[in-house]
Amino acid sequence: MPFIGRDWRADGEQWTKSEIGSWERSRRISFSNLSSNYNCSLSDIFNALDIVNSVTNQRRFNYIAKVVQILFAEKLGELSGTAQRCLFQILDRMIQMVLTTGDNILLMQRLVTQFHDCIHRAYPFYYYIGSAALWRQNTEILTRMKEKVKHIHIQTVDQNKATFNCLPTEIQREIVRKLDNGIDLINFGMINSSLHRLTQELLLWKQLCLYHFGDETQSDDKMGDKILGLLRRQSKDFDKENIDWKKVYFKLKRQHGLREVYADMIHQCQLCKNLFWQ
Protein backbone atom coordinates (compact mmCIF):
# COMPACT_ATOMS: atom_id res chain seq x y z
CA MET A 1 0.00 0.00 0.00
CA PRO A 2 1.86 3.15 -1.13
CA PHE A 3 1.61 6.46 0.68
CA ILE A 4 2.20 10.00 -0.61
CA GLY A 5 3.18 12.49 2.07
CA ARG A 6 3.24 12.06 5.83
CA ASP A 7 0.83 9.66 7.46
CA TRP A 8 0.11 8.67 11.06
CA ARG A 9 1.16 5.16 10.18
CA ALA A 10 4.67 6.46 9.37
CA ASP A 11 6.38 7.12 6.04
CA GLY A 12 7.76 4.25 4.05
CA GLU A 13 6.26 1.42 6.07
CA GLN A 14 4.67 -1.36 4.09
CA TRP A 15 1.08 -2.13 5.04
CA THR A 16 -0.99 -5.01 3.73
CA LYS A 17 -4.72 -5.58 3.75
CA SER A 18 -5.86 -8.41 5.99
CA GLU A 19 -8.66 -10.87 5.30
CA ILE A 20 -11.13 -8.93 7.47
CA GLY A 21 -10.49 -5.71 5.53
CA SER A 22 -8.24 -3.89 8.00
CA TRP A 23 -4.65 -2.79 7.37
CA GLU A 24 -1.63 -4.20 9.17
CA ARG A 25 2.14 -3.83 8.96
CA SER A 26 3.99 -6.34 6.83
CA ARG A 27 5.55 -8.77 9.30
CA ARG A 28 9.10 -9.68 8.37
CA ILE A 29 12.28 -10.69 10.10
CA SER A 30 15.66 -9.98 8.58
CA PHE A 31 18.86 -12.03 8.62
CA SER A 32 20.84 -9.55 6.51
CA ASN A 33 22.83 -8.23 9.48
CA LEU A 34 24.29 -11.37 11.00
CA SER A 35 26.06 -9.51 13.79
CA SER A 36 22.79 -8.23 15.25
CA ASN A 37 20.46 -11.12 14.30
CA TYR A 38 22.74 -14.11 14.85
CA ASN A 39 21.14 -14.87 18.24
CA CYS A 40 17.60 -14.44 16.98
CA SER A 41 15.50 -17.11 18.67
CA LEU A 42 12.76 -19.26 17.23
CA SER A 43 10.18 -17.50 19.38
CA ASP A 44 11.28 -14.13 17.92
CA ILE A 45 10.72 -15.51 14.42
CA PHE A 46 7.29 -16.83 15.39
CA ASN A 47 6.32 -13.45 16.84
CA ALA A 48 7.68 -11.49 13.88
CA LEU A 49 5.81 -13.65 11.37
CA ASP A 50 2.73 -13.77 13.63
CA ILE A 51 2.50 -17.56 13.27
CA VAL A 52 -0.19 -17.86 15.97
CA ASN A 53 -2.66 -15.59 14.16
CA SER A 54 -1.65 -16.95 10.74
CA VAL A 55 -3.30 -20.26 11.68
CA THR A 56 -6.69 -18.63 11.00
CA ASN A 57 -5.73 -18.43 7.31
CA GLN A 58 -6.85 -21.69 5.70
CA ARG A 59 -4.15 -21.36 3.04
CA ARG A 60 -1.46 -21.50 5.74
CA PHE A 61 -2.99 -24.06 8.11
CA ASN A 62 -1.45 -27.23 6.62
CA TYR A 63 1.93 -25.57 6.19
CA ILE A 64 2.05 -24.41 9.83
CA ALA A 65 0.91 -27.89 10.92
CA LYS A 66 3.87 -29.39 9.06
CA VAL A 67 6.29 -26.89 10.65
CA VAL A 68 4.95 -27.72 14.11
CA GLN A 69 5.24 -31.45 13.42
CA ILE A 70 8.89 -31.11 12.37
CA LEU A 71 9.69 -29.04 15.47
CA PHE A 72 8.37 -31.47 18.06
CA ALA A 73 9.45 -34.59 16.15
CA GLU A 74 13.04 -33.54 15.34
CA LYS A 75 13.91 -30.38 17.31
CA LEU A 76 12.22 -30.93 20.65
CA GLY A 77 15.50 -31.13 22.55
CA GLU A 78 16.67 -27.79 21.13
CA LEU A 79 13.58 -25.72 21.96
CA SER A 80 13.77 -23.12 24.70
CA GLY A 81 11.02 -22.56 27.23
CA THR A 82 9.74 -19.57 25.28
CA ALA A 83 9.70 -21.57 22.04
CA GLN A 84 7.78 -24.35 23.79
CA ARG A 85 5.23 -21.81 25.00
CA CYS A 86 4.85 -20.48 21.45
CA LEU A 87 4.34 -24.04 20.22
CA PHE A 88 1.51 -24.60 22.71
CA GLN A 89 -0.08 -21.28 21.71
CA ILE A 90 -0.01 -22.34 18.07
CA LEU A 91 -1.58 -25.72 18.89
CA ASP A 92 -4.27 -24.07 21.00
CA ARG A 93 -5.13 -21.64 18.20
CA MET A 94 -5.21 -24.51 15.68
CA ILE A 95 -7.67 -26.42 17.88
CA GLN A 96 -9.87 -23.32 18.12
CA MET A 97 -9.74 -23.04 14.33
CA VAL A 98 -10.76 -26.69 13.92
CA LEU A 99 -13.62 -26.27 16.41
CA THR A 100 -14.86 -23.20 14.55
CA THR A 101 -14.62 -24.46 10.98
CA GLY A 102 -14.92 -28.24 11.41
CA ASP A 103 -12.04 -28.73 8.93
CA ASN A 104 -8.77 -30.69 9.39
CA ILE A 105 -10.18 -32.68 12.31
CA LEU A 106 -8.19 -35.86 11.62
CA LEU A 107 -5.01 -33.84 11.00
CA MET A 108 -5.40 -32.06 14.35
CA GLN A 109 -6.12 -35.29 16.23
CA ARG A 110 -3.02 -36.90 14.74
CA LEU A 111 -0.87 -33.83 15.45
CA VAL A 112 -1.83 -33.53 19.14
CA THR A 113 -1.40 -37.28 19.68
CA GLN A 114 2.07 -37.26 18.12
CA PHE A 115 3.11 -34.23 20.18
CA HIS A 116 1.84 -35.86 23.39
CA ASP A 117 3.80 -39.03 22.63
CA CYS A 118 6.97 -37.04 21.86
CA ILE A 119 6.74 -35.10 25.13
CA HIS A 120 6.06 -38.29 27.07
CA ARG A 121 9.05 -40.08 25.52
CA ALA A 122 11.38 -37.09 25.87
CA TYR A 123 11.27 -36.89 29.67
CA PRO A 124 13.69 -37.24 31.42
CA PHE A 125 16.18 -37.20 28.52
CA TYR A 126 15.68 -33.47 27.86
CA TYR A 127 15.58 -32.49 31.54
CA TYR A 128 18.04 -29.64 30.98
CA ILE A 129 15.38 -27.58 29.17
CA GLY A 130 13.09 -27.34 32.19
CA SER A 131 12.17 -28.90 35.48
CA ALA A 132 10.20 -32.08 35.96
CA ALA A 133 7.20 -29.98 37.00
CA LEU A 134 7.32 -28.12 33.66
CA TRP A 135 7.30 -31.37 31.70
CA ARG A 136 4.39 -32.68 33.76
CA GLN A 137 2.56 -29.43 33.09
CA ASN A 138 3.21 -29.77 29.34
CA THR A 139 1.94 -33.35 29.42
CA GLU A 140 -1.22 -32.32 31.26
CA ILE A 141 -1.89 -29.52 28.74
CA LEU A 142 -1.50 -31.94 25.84
CA THR A 143 -3.73 -34.48 27.56
CA ARG A 144 -6.48 -31.86 27.83
CA MET A 145 -5.93 -30.95 24.19
CA LYS A 146 -6.25 -34.61 23.20
CA GLU A 147 -9.57 -34.90 25.05
CA LYS A 148 -10.85 -31.70 23.46
CA VAL A 149 -9.91 -32.81 19.94
CA LYS A 150 -11.16 -36.37 20.50
CA HIS A 151 -14.71 -35.15 21.06
CA ILE A 152 -14.88 -33.14 17.86
CA HIS A 153 -17.44 -34.76 15.60
CA ILE A 154 -17.99 -34.23 11.92
CA GLN A 155 -21.37 -32.67 11.34
CA THR A 156 -23.81 -35.00 9.63
CA VAL A 157 -25.35 -33.96 6.36
CA ASP A 158 -29.09 -33.49 6.10
CA GLN A 159 -30.36 -36.38 4.02
CA ASN A 160 -32.98 -34.17 2.37
CA LYS A 161 -30.31 -31.97 0.83
CA ALA A 162 -28.30 -32.72 -2.29
CA THR A 163 -25.28 -34.96 -1.64
CA PHE A 164 -22.13 -35.89 -3.50
CA ASN A 165 -23.83 -38.93 -5.02
CA CYS A 166 -26.34 -36.66 -6.72
CA LEU A 167 -23.62 -35.14 -8.90
CA PRO A 168 -22.89 -36.51 -12.38
CA THR A 169 -20.03 -38.99 -12.63
CA GLU A 170 -17.90 -36.55 -14.64
CA ILE A 171 -18.12 -33.91 -11.89
CA GLN A 172 -17.42 -36.50 -9.21
CA ARG A 173 -14.33 -37.58 -11.13
CA GLU A 174 -13.07 -34.00 -11.40
CA ILE A 175 -13.51 -33.51 -7.65
CA VAL A 176 -11.74 -36.78 -6.80
CA ARG A 177 -8.83 -35.73 -9.04
CA LYS A 178 -8.11 -32.93 -6.53
CA LEU A 179 -7.05 -35.50 -3.92
CA ASP A 180 -3.26 -35.67 -3.80
CA ASN A 181 -2.84 -38.71 -1.54
CA GLY A 182 -3.51 -42.35 -2.37
CA ILE A 183 -4.65 -43.12 1.19
CA ASP A 184 -7.29 -40.40 0.93
CA LEU A 185 -8.38 -41.86 -2.39
CA ILE A 186 -8.80 -45.32 -0.86
CA ASN A 187 -10.68 -43.97 2.18
CA PHE A 188 -12.94 -41.96 -0.11
CA GLY A 189 -13.80 -45.11 -2.02
CA MET A 190 -14.97 -46.82 1.17
CA ILE A 191 -18.03 -44.55 1.42
CA ASN A 192 -20.12 -46.60 -0.98
CA SER A 193 -19.82 -48.99 -3.92
CA SER A 194 -20.23 -46.34 -6.64
CA LEU A 195 -17.40 -44.21 -5.24
CA HIS A 196 -15.31 -47.36 -4.83
CA ARG A 197 -15.63 -48.08 -8.54
CA LEU A 198 -14.76 -44.46 -9.28
CA THR A 199 -11.58 -44.52 -7.18
CA GLN A 200 -10.41 -47.77 -8.81
CA GLU A 201 -10.05 -46.11 -12.22
CA LEU A 202 -6.43 -46.46 -13.30
CA LEU A 203 -6.47 -43.03 -14.93
CA LEU A 204 -6.82 -41.41 -11.49
CA TRP A 205 -3.86 -43.38 -10.15
CA LYS A 206 -1.83 -42.59 -13.25
CA GLN A 207 -2.44 -38.86 -12.78
CA LEU A 208 -1.50 -39.24 -9.12
CA CYS A 209 1.80 -40.90 -10.12
CA LEU A 210 2.55 -38.17 -12.64
CA TYR A 211 1.77 -35.50 -10.05
CA HIS A 212 4.13 -36.87 -7.38
CA PHE A 213 6.82 -38.63 -9.41
CA GLY A 214 6.58 -37.36 -13.00
CA ASP A 215 8.33 -34.44 -14.63
CA GLU A 216 7.00 -30.89 -14.62
CA THR A 217 4.99 -31.36 -17.82
CA GLN A 218 3.24 -34.49 -16.47
CA SER A 219 2.68 -35.74 -20.02
CA ASP A 220 2.37 -39.36 -21.12
CA ASP A 221 5.49 -39.11 -23.27
CA LYS A 222 7.61 -37.75 -20.41
CA MET A 223 6.65 -39.75 -17.34
CA GLY A 224 9.84 -38.95 -15.45
CA ASP A 225 12.92 -40.91 -14.48
CA LYS A 226 11.38 -42.29 -11.27
CA ILE A 227 8.39 -43.85 -13.00
CA LEU A 228 10.34 -45.11 -16.02
CA GLY A 229 13.05 -46.55 -13.79
CA LEU A 230 10.52 -48.56 -11.78
CA LEU A 231 8.70 -49.81 -14.89
CA ARG A 232 11.93 -50.87 -16.58
CA ARG A 233 13.10 -52.73 -13.47
CA GLN A 234 9.83 -54.66 -13.44
CA SER A 235 9.84 -55.39 -17.17
CA LYS A 236 12.16 -54.27 -19.95
CA ASP A 237 9.32 -54.34 -22.50
CA PHE A 238 6.43 -52.91 -20.53
CA ASP A 239 3.12 -52.08 -22.15
CA LYS A 240 1.90 -48.54 -21.38
CA GLU A 241 -1.70 -49.63 -21.84
CA ASN A 242 -1.56 -52.40 -19.21
CA ILE A 243 0.18 -50.79 -16.23
CA ASP A 244 -1.28 -51.20 -12.75
CA TRP A 245 -0.81 -47.55 -11.72
CA LYS A 246 -2.14 -48.19 -8.23
CA LYS A 247 0.69 -50.62 -7.44
CA VAL A 248 3.18 -48.32 -9.15
CA TYR A 249 2.04 -45.42 -6.93
CA PHE A 250 2.58 -47.25 -3.64
CA LYS A 251 5.94 -48.66 -4.73
CA LEU A 252 7.18 -45.21 -5.73
CA LYS A 253 5.79 -43.77 -2.49
CA ARG A 254 7.87 -46.19 -0.42
CA GLN A 255 11.00 -45.38 -2.43
CA HIS A 256 10.76 -41.62 -2.90
CA GLY A 257 8.05 -40.25 -0.62
CA LEU A 258 5.35 -37.84 -1.74
CA ARG A 259 5.61 -34.37 -3.19
CA GLU A 260 4.49 -31.76 -0.65
CA VAL A 261 2.69 -28.68 -1.96
CA TYR A 262 1.23 -25.92 0.22
CA ALA A 263 -1.01 -23.02 -0.75
CA ASP A 264 1.08 -20.50 1.21
CA MET A 265 4.55 -20.82 2.72
CA ILE A 266 7.21 -18.70 4.41
CA HIS A 267 9.75 -17.40 1.90
CA GLN A 268 13.17 -15.80 2.14
CA CYS A 269 14.19 -12.89 -0.03
CA GLN A 270 17.46 -13.63 -1.88
CA LEU A 271 18.53 -9.97 -1.74
CA CYS A 272 17.64 -8.69 1.73
CA LYS A 273 17.33 -12.13 3.42
CA ASN A 274 13.93 -11.27 4.89
CA LEU A 275 11.54 -14.01 5.95
CA PHE A 276 8.00 -13.22 4.88
CA TRP A 277 4.63 -14.70 3.96
CA GLN A 278 4.16 -14.63 0.22
Side-chain angles (χ1 to χ4, degrees):
M1 179 179 178
F3 295 101
I4 300 177
R6 298 190 61 81
D7 189 272
W8 66 274
R9 288 170 288 196
D11 295 344
E13 289 187 344
Q14 184 176 359
W15 289 68
T16 56
K17 197 169 186 178
S18 65
E19 293 184 343
I20 60 176
S22 61
W23 292 91
E24 59 182 11
R25 288 188 180 90
S26 179
R27 298 178 179 272
R28 301 185 177 198
I29 185 166
S30 174
F31 292 92
S32 56
N33 189 353
L34 294 179
S35 61
S36 60
N37 292 289
Y38 182 76
N39 293 322
C40 184
S41 65
L42 183 63
S43 57
D44 293 335
I45 297 176
F46 280 176
N47 291 331
L49 293 171
D50 198 18
I51 297 292
V52 176
N53 292 324
S54 296
V55 172
T56 57
N57 189 333
Q58 285 287 358
R59 292 172 55 85
R60 300 173 181 175
F61 188 92
N62 288 334
Y63 175 76
I64 296 176
K66 185 65 176 181
V67 172
V68 170
Q69 185 181 20
I70 292 174
L71 286 175
F72 66 68
E74 302 178 9
K75 303 294 182 181
L76 186 60
E78 303 173 17
L79 297 180
S80 63
T82 307
Q84 291 179 45
R85 188 160 53 251
C86 289
L87 210 56
F88 279 101
Q89 291 174 355
I90 295 170
L91 277 177
D92 187 57
R93 184 60 62 86
M94 293 175 76
I95 292 175
Q96 294 178 14
M97 186 67 178
V98 171
L99 288 171
T100 303
T101 62
D103 299 329
N104 301 301
I105 296 176
L106 296 179
L107 171 63
M108 202 65 235
Q109 290 175 344
R110 184 167 61 250
L111 199 66
V112 174
T113 302
Q114 290 175 352
F115 194 11
H116 181 274
D117 295 341
C118 288
I119 287 284
H120 186 72
R121 289 195 304 265
Y123 183 78
F125 302 107
Y126 297 146
Y127 62 89
Y128 52 83
I129 295 179
S131 62
L134 176 61
W135 285 97
R136 284 196 297 269
Q137 179 183 350
N138 292 342
T139 305
E140 291 173 359
I141 293 174
L142 286 169
T143 301
R144 290 196 295 270
M145 287 183 176
K146 282 182 63 177
E147 292 299 320
K148 184 185 295 186
V149 175
K150 186 188 300 182
H151 293 90
I152 301 176
H153 298 289
I154 301 175
Q155 296 181 355
T156 58
V157 180
D158 188 357
Q159 297 297 328
N160 296 325
K161 295 182 179 180
T163 61
F164 187 83
N165 291 328
C166 299
L167 298 175
T169 306
E170 293 77 11
I171 297 179
Q172 291 182 2
R173 187 177 293 108
E174 289 299 318
I175 295 174
V176 173
R177 285 182 58 189
K178 302 300 181 182
L179 297 176
D180 62 352
N181 193 304
I183 302 299
D184 294 336
L185 201 59
I186 292 175
N187 292 335
F188 189 78
M190 293 180 179
I191 298 176
N192 54 48
S193 57
S194 62
L195 293 180
H196 176 74
R197 289 192 297 270
L198 179 64
T199 55
Q200 293 302 310
E201 293 182 2
L202 292 181
L203 181 59
L204 291 174
W205 291 97
K206 179 180 180 180
Q207 292 170 342
L208 205 58
C209 289
L210 293 175
Y211 174 76
H212 286 287
F213 314 109
D215 61 356
E216 296 181 355
T217 61
Q218 298 183 8
S219 62
D220 294 340
D221 297 332
K222 298 181 180 179
M223 291 188 291
D225 296 336
K226 296 177 181 178
I227 299 177
L228 289 175
L230 177 65
L231 295 177
R232 287 169 180 166
R233 286 195 297 271
Q234 292 180 345
S235 175
K236 294 183 179 179
D237 299 324
F238 61 89
D239 185 6
K240 291 184 178 181
E241 303 298 328
N242 297 314
I243 297 175
D244 190 342
W245 289 103
K246 185 176 180 180
K247 291 183 178 179
V248 170
Y249 168 82
F250 284 105
K251 288 182 179 179
L252 290 171
K253 179 184 176 182
R254 287 194 297 270
Q255 295 178 9
H256 305 287
L258 298 180
R259 172 188 175 192
E260 293 183 349
V261 179
Y262 301 98
D264 198 4
M265 299 186 297
I266 296 174
H267 298 266
Q268 183 179 23
C269 177
Q270 298 299 317
L271 297 177
C272 59
K273 304 303 179 183
N274 282 341
L275 291 179
F276 61 95
W277 289 107
Q278 188 175 12

